[in-house]
Amino acid sequence: GGIITQTPKFLIGQEGQKLTLKCQQNFNHDTMYWYRQDSGKGLRLIYYSITENDLQKGDLSEGYDASREKKSSFSLTVTSAQKNEMAVFLCASSILTDNQDTQYFGPGTRLLVL
Amino acid sequence: GDSVTQTEGLVTLTEGLPVMLNCTYQTIYSNPFLFWYVQHLNESPRLLLKSFTDNKRTEHQGFHATLHKSSSSFHLQKSSAQLSDSALYYCALSETSSGQKLVFGQGTILKVYL
């Protein structure tokens, strides 16, 4: 078994602030993902990475940067927090099983911008 | 691009009644993978079941779904709802070729009452 940890669990920021969210996994998975979860909008992919130092943009990458420093960690930066923004950011990782990746999710970081 | 549609935002029913959550998709790929993820309150999403075989029923933990490519559907069903089934359910799609990018539907909240 393994675990995905996300830090911080809660993040309160100011408008215009640069905010960084961190994710660690000990599954030894190759691929890692960042999703944004908003009520009624499902999970939207921000960035993903198929290996260390690789970055692939998702549908929601504008306004975000990401960094895959090593295989076990994947960071997401909100480049300029928007006032009254409230969302949950979910990190996930995956390994190829049955010719299809199964994604495992972390507990999430809850963001509130004042 | 690919898309997944879950028409119901909220489904409420009494314990013991059958469950059906709708999922339809659009994709240019002829062999998509379809998934159902479940997210209980204060937990992260986890895989419930998945399929890529046309017209084959897939079952897990009392739930089942059948991928029908002719109608681009992958509805989730259960014969008898339980209180513990109350959760947020996501249908998701992946292209066979990459197997790494999931496109999620908007999610359906299932609330089961006594």
Side-chain angles (χ1 to χ4, degrees), chain A residues 33-62:
Chain A
Y33 312 78
W34 276 107
Y35 290 93
R36 177 178 165 128
Q37 183 176 33
D38 295 279
S39 179
K41 293 183 180 177
L43 297 175
R44 292 179 290 173
L45 183 64
I46 306 172
Y47 270 98
Y48 71 105
S49 167
I50 60 175
T51 189
E52 184 178 335
N53 294 319
D54 173 74
L55 281 180
Q56 308 281 341
K57 289 185 177 181
D59 295 331
L60 206 66
S61 61
E62 189 168 337

Side-chain angles (χ1 to χ4, degrees), chain A residues 31 33 35 37-38 40-43 45 48 50 57-59 90 97-103 105-107 110, chain B residues 33 35 37 39 42 44-47 50 52 88 90 94-96 98-107:
Chain A
T31 309
Y33 312 78
Y35 290 93
Q37 183 176 33
D38 295 279
K41 293 183 180 177
L43 297 175
L45 183 64
Y48 71 105
I50 60 175
K57 289 185 177 181
D59 295 331
L90 291 169
T97 56
D98 300 325
N99 198 35
Q100 180 54 44
D101 284 2
T102 295
Q103 294 189 18
F105 286 83
R110 284 148 183 81
Chain B
F33 284 78
F35 303 78
Y37 279 80
Q39 185 177 19
N42 296 323
S44 51
R46 63 173 176 81
L47 181 66
K50 63 182 179 182
F52 65 94
L88 175 58
Y90 287 110
S94 178
E95 308 155 13
T96 302
S98 69
Q100 288 167 332
K101 277 184 65 175
L102 284 178
V103 174
F104 285 85
Q106 304 92 318

